[in-house]
């Protein structure tokens, strides 16, 4: 089947036809003169909206599951709460009181770094083939997801691309979900260092044979090697790090690795 062919075969008897979230002629492999490239914009927009309506519930369910602490089927991972609290602590430490900055930090470290990648690349999680049509459709959903995490005003005009206009009315609602999600996490009880360490130890035990530990340490050390002076300075200024003599221990590791090399 050609990549532009609908994933579901149209029911010719009932006259039902399946349409995608992008125009056929938006793809580079579209042959000149193909009927799809001559589609009238008004007809295309009507069908585009109909397709969006069909997929609406699935998109809503996806966003609701991601941006929810109570309806996700399992408890919120401790690492997310711990990480968000750390970001809030850093904002307080540096006297950053702008809520947009805190919101952006949290969006950049979880939804925009992790979830967008999964939405855009389902083959990372599932053993499936992602066609060009599927990729284009998921790009629309991913863009909507990114716009929902943004704190800037969603301004649109007559020249805005159709994929931006498609979810324009839904984005304010999605933005409220994101804000509620961050607020709900902020209200949750803080995670102690002991609980976090126990959680990480359990995760390490569960995935003991799935990763190359030495390779991971090598990657971390390559980063440490570039910023040794800055890291040691930061450790010497941190009370908890001073108690554990982390700066001294790091310098020992660096000296040992230099001797080995």
């Amino acid at each position: 089947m050609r990549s532009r062919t609908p994933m579901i075969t149209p029911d010719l008897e009932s006259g039902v036809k399946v349409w995608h979230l992008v125009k056929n002629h938006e793809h580079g492999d579209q042959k000149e003169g193909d009927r799809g490239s001559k589609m009238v914009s008004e007809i295309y927009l009507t069908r585009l909206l109909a397709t969006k309506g069909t997929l609406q519930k699935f998109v809503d369910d996806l966003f609701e599951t991601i941006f929810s602490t109570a309806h996700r089927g399992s408890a919120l991972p401790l690492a997310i709460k711990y990480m968000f609290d750390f970001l809030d602590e850093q904002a307080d430490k540096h006297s950053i009181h702008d809520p947009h900055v805190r919101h952006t930090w949290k969006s950049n470290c979880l939804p925009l770094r992790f979830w967008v990648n999964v939405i855009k690349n389902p083959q990372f999680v599932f053993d499936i083939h992602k066609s060009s049509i599927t990729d284009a459709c998921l790009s629309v959903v991913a863009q909507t997801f990114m716009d929902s995490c943004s704190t800037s005003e969603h301004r649109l005009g007559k020249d805005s691309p159709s994929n931006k206009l498609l979810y324009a009315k839904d984005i304010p609602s999605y933005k409220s979900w994101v804000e509620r999600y961050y607020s709900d996490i902020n209200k949750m009880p803080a995670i102690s260092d002991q609980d976090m360490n126990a959680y990480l130890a359990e995760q390490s035990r569960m995935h003991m044979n799935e990763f190359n530990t030495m390779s991971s340490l090598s990657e971390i050390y390559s980063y440490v090697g570039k910023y040794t002076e800055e890291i040691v300075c930061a450790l010497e200024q941190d009370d908890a790090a001073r108690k554990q003599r982390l700066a001294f221990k790091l310098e020992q590791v660096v000296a040992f690795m230099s001797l080995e090399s």
Side-chain angles (χ1 to χ4, degrees):
M1 297 176 66
R2 292 164 61 191
S3 62
R4 295 181 301 279
T5 303
M7 295 170 63
I8 304 174
T9 304
D11 186 349
L12 299 179
E13 294 182 359
S14 65
V16 175
K17 293 185 178 180
V18 181
W19 300 91
H20 298 289
L21 293 180
V22 294
K23 289 183 288 188
N24 283 342
H25 63 266
E26 288 181 356
H27 293 273
D29 59 348
Q30 181 74 20
K31 294 181 179 179
E32 186 177 356
D34 201 340
R35 189 179 64 85
S37 63
K38 299 179 180 179
M39 186 181 295
V40 179
S41 297
E42 289 78 3
I43 298 176
Y44 151 69
L45 183 58
T46 301
R47 291 168 174 168
L48 182 65
L49 292 173
T51 304
K52 186 252 186 180
T54 302
L55 300 178
Q56 185 69 55
K57 182 181 184 302
F58 299 99
V59 175
D60 286 348
D61 287 348
L62 172 65
F63 285 23
E64 176 66 21
T65 301
I66 292 175
F67 297 120
S68 174
T69 59
H71 302 93
R72 53 192 306 124
S74 59
L76 182 79
L78 297 185
I80 295 178
K81 169 63 177 174
Y82 191 87
M83 177 175 62
F84 280 14
D85 282 356
F86 170 78
L87 294 176
D88 286 332
E89 289 172 5
Q90 290 301 305
D92 292 337
K93 180 179 179 180
H94 296 283
S95 301
I96 299 175
H97 304 295
D98 186 349
H100 289 178
V101 174
R102 300 179 184 228
H103 183 106
T104 301
W105 282 359
K106 294 171 183 178
S107 295
N108 285 341
C109 70
L110 180 62
L112 301 183
R113 179 173 290 274
F114 175 76
W115 283 115
V116 166
N117 208 18
V118 173
I119 292 172
K120 190 76 170 59
N121 302 283
Q123 73 275 17
F124 289 175
V125 181
F126 305 105
D127 185 16
I128 60 174
H129 168 68
K130 183 180 69 172
S131 66
S132 58
I133 283 290
T134 303
D135 180 62
C137 293
L138 291 176
S139 294
V140 176
V141 178
Q143 182 61 56
T144 302
F145 188 90
M146 290 187 286
D147 291 340
S148 301
C149 293
S150 173
T151 59
S152 60
E153 186 178 351
H154 196 61
R155 295 182 178 179
L156 297 171
K158 63 179 182 178
D159 297 325
S160 299
S162 57
N163 63 322
K164 286 273 191 178
L165 296 170
L166 200 57
Y167 284 94
K169 292 183 178 180
D170 304 288
I171 286 179
S173 177
Y174 294 153
K175 281 190 173 185
S176 69
W177 292 2
V178 178
E179 293 172 358
R180 180 199 63 193
Y181 177 62
Y182 293 164
S183 176
D184 288 346
I185 293 177
N186 184 57
K187 295 175 183 176
M188 295 173 65
I191 306 298
S192 67
D193 290 342
Q194 292 81 1
D195 289 342
M196 189 63 201
N197 289 336
Y199 172 79
L200 293 176
E202 176 63 16
Q203 293 300 313
S204 296
R205 186 191 65 78
M206 292 172 58
H207 306 286
M208 184 179 299
N209 300 318
E210 298 179 19
F211 301 97
N212 187 324
T213 305
M214 296 308 297
S215 176
S216 299
L217 288 174
S218 176
E219 290 295 328
I220 294 174
Y221 183 74
S222 66
Y223 176 85
V224 172
K226 294 179 181 178
Y227 305 101
T228 302
E229 184 177 341
E230 292 87 342
I231 294 174
V232 169
C233 181
L235 291 174
E236 289 176 342
Q237 296 176 0
D238 186 84
D239 293 336
R242 280 203 302 270
K243 291 179 181 179
Q244 300 181 51
R245 303 180 67 196
L246 295 183
F248 174 72
K249 292 178 180 178
L250 177 60
E251 289 176 330
Q252 283 187 314
V253 170
V254 172
F256 177 76
M257 293 296 292
S258 299
L259 189 63
E260 285 289 305
S261 61

